Amino acid sequence: MRLFFRGSLCAAVLLTGAAPASAGDPPAWTRPIQPFNLIGPIDYVGTEGLAAYLIHTSAGAILIDAPMAENVARLEKSITARVRLRDVKLILLSHAHFDHAGGLAALKKATGARLVVGAGDRDAVTTGTPPGETTYGVIRFPAAAVDRGIRDGEAVQLGGVTLTAVATPGHTPGCTSWSMRIMAGGVLRDVLFACSITVAGNRLVRNHRYPEIVADFRRTFDRLATVKADIVLPFHPETTDLLNRARGGALIDAGVLPEMVAKARAAFAADLAKQQMQ
């Protein structure tokens, strides 16, 4: 997508979470903001437009996503405002696109952390080549060594904290949401770090590198429709107006996930119908 024109593409990115051209990246993707505590043990350490989450445990910290190679210095600064880099013991990934995985190699080196990714995206991360076929071509990112490819229902644990992989393929074959429970206000709350569920330039028809894409999207929508999440933390913050909700103390809302899934399902159906007509 690096050859695409900027204006209409950026508008599409803001609405869908698509991967854009480097020259036309939304400014928010690289715009730094001060790290802050979201809720319980979870800090926000990403940029204004691309989320990264830091989870504190008694044995160190867990980082989820390393968005864009261009953001590594900003991410390191945000992380070190909360913990030492070497205190990051695990890095988890939502999915293997450059805007979420581009900083993995550098942050893995800087922290010495183990890297855990969805099994379906393992080859993409180790080669730096995103999976599937898209309308915008191939945008590579720095390859990173993967310590574990995780499957649906498997868990990672650190310092008394457990995160469980929820396979939500479609956006990529290994797109993985992560669930955990936290105590907030004396109440146990279910948190879902929600992987992208938008089409975002993916070829739904004649996708030879990812022929199961349509079936995977449909399974993911059905799966997420059954998931209970009191707090939804996406990787494109605008998806749920995350930053404003956090500032307003409105993160706890069990209606966010059903609304997000319904919108994505409708957009997927429209996109599929359009591609089938081409």
Side-chain angles (χ1 to χ4, degrees), residues 50-139:
L50 291 172
Y53 300 102
L54 190 71
I55 303 167
H56 299 270
T57 86
S58 62
I62 302 169
L63 177 68
I64 308 183
D65 267 18
M68 293 181 64
E70 294 90 333
N71 284 336
V72 166
R74 295 181 179 92
L75 288 169
E76 289 183 350
K77 185 176 180 180
S78 292
I79 291 167
T80 54
R82 316 302 284 182
V83 298
R84 297 174 303 175
L85 282 178
R86 285 286 167 178
D87 288 333
V88 178
K89 303 301 183 183
L90 284 172
I91 301 175
L92 312 182
L93 178 66
S94 64
H95 64 283
H97 283 157
F98 84 99
D99 48 333
H100 302 276
L104 290 177
L107 281 167
K108 180 175 168 61
K109 181 178 180 180
T111 62
R114 290 172 53 82
L115 174 59
V116 182
V117 309
D121 279 0
R122 182 169 192 156
D123 287 347
V125 173
T126 58
T127 62
T129 304
E133 298 175 28
T134 66
T135 58
Y136 53 79
V138 177
I139 304 177

Side-chain angles (χ1 to χ4, degrees), residues 155-239:
V156 295
Q157 296 179 326
L158 182 71
V161 170
T162 299
L163 286 105
T164 302
V166 181
T168 47
H171 192 76
T172 67
C175 202
T176 301
S177 299
W178 298 91
S179 67
M180 69 178 293
R181 304 194 92 188
I182 65 169
M183 187 69 71
V187 179
L188 272 175
R189 299 291 187 181
D190 292 303
V191 179
L192 185 72
F193 299 90
C195 192
S196 297
I197 54 175
T198 55
V199 174
N202 273 298
R203 293 193 183 279
L204 302 177
V205 177
R206 293 181 293 278
N207 190 325
H208 302 294
R209 292 187 62 214
Y210 186 9
E212 307 88 358
I213 187 169
V214 168
D216 278 356
F217 263 117
R218 287 173 171 157
R219 277 192 291 266
T220 286
F221 297 142
D222 290 344
R223 171 79 181 279
L224 288 177
T226 70
V227 171
K228 176 183 177 292
D230 301 303
I231 302 163
V232 177
L233 302 179
F235 294 93
H236 286 271
E238 76 278 1
T239 304

Side-chain angles (χ1 to χ4, degrees), residues 252-278:
I252 300 173
D253 186 343
V256 169
L257 183 60
E259 180 181 0
M260 187 173 75
V261 172
K263 288 181 177 178
R265 193 194 293 267
F268 165 82
D271 209 332
L272 178 59
K274 182 179 179 180
Q275 291 192 35
Q276 288 172 333
M277 293 292 290
Q278 293 173 348

